[in-house]
Amino acid sequence: HVQLVESGGGSVQAGGSLRLSCAVDLNGDRPYSLGWFRQAPGKEREGVAAIYPRYGRTYYADSVKGRFTISQDMAKNTLYLQMNSLKPDDTAMYYCAAASGGGDCVSQRFTERIYTYWGQGTQVTVS
């Protein structure tokens, strides 16, 4: 069955690093795109980073460019988010998501409705 399971969250001081992992099982299907989203208390969920395996493209929210890196290990069916130079504003629940299909990478990279499958989230707290 389809399953996305995040891990790697935790508490860290400002300036520190964390690496999130997401085990992706799409029942044998290959994802069109994979993304990391986050939701802070009292705020809407927002896209953080996305990767399109077929095209080798990655996209980042302006707030994390230069600090976060999205990657995947296809052999391990695992998605990663390396987060460096963390700030208190990065505190949120982080979710990984997978899309089976889609259209334009740029316009849809953080469009939640195209991401069919979601994990349960992992908490990141930066103090």
Side-chain angles (χ1 to χ4, degrees):
H1 63 285
V2 174
Q3 192 173 20
L4 282 73
V5 180
E6 303 95 337
S7 61
S11 297
V12 64
Q13 290 189 339
S17 299
L18 283 174
R19 188 176 80 157
L20 305 183
S21 300
C22 177
V24 180
D25 181 356
L26 300 185
N27 206 25
D29 289 340
R30 290 183 179 273
Y32 179 72
S33 62
L34 296 162
W36 286 100
F37 292 75
R38 68 185 182 187
Q39 187 168 22
K43 294 186 177 181
E44 293 187 355
R45 189 160 56 187
E46 62 176 354
V48 174
I51 186 167
Y52 286 75
R54 184 180 307 178
Y55 308 115
R57 294 177 184 171
T58 58
Y59 300 92
Y60 298 92
D62 288 342
S63 59
V64 306
K65 278 181 183 176
R67 301 188 298 120
F68 290 12
T69 302
I70 187 171
S71 62
Q72 66 168 138
D73 184 329
M74 289 186 175
K76 295 182 179 180
N77 292 324
T78 302
L79 178 71
Y80 301 102
L81 185 67
Q82 178 67 44
M83 306 186 295
N84 299 329
S85 302
L86 283 162
K87 305 174 181 179
D89 284 349
D90 295 319
T91 295
M93 184 71 77
Y94 283 72
Y95 301 89
C96 68
S100 297
D104 179 66
C105 303
V106 175
S107 63
Q108 295 187 348
R109 63 197 187 281
F110 297 138
T111 301
E112 291 192 21
R113 60 176 173 80
I114 72 162
Y115 288 89
T116 310
Y117 308 109
W118 293 80
Q120 293 300 307
T122 185
Q123 178 67 38
V124 172
T125 303
V126 184
S127 59

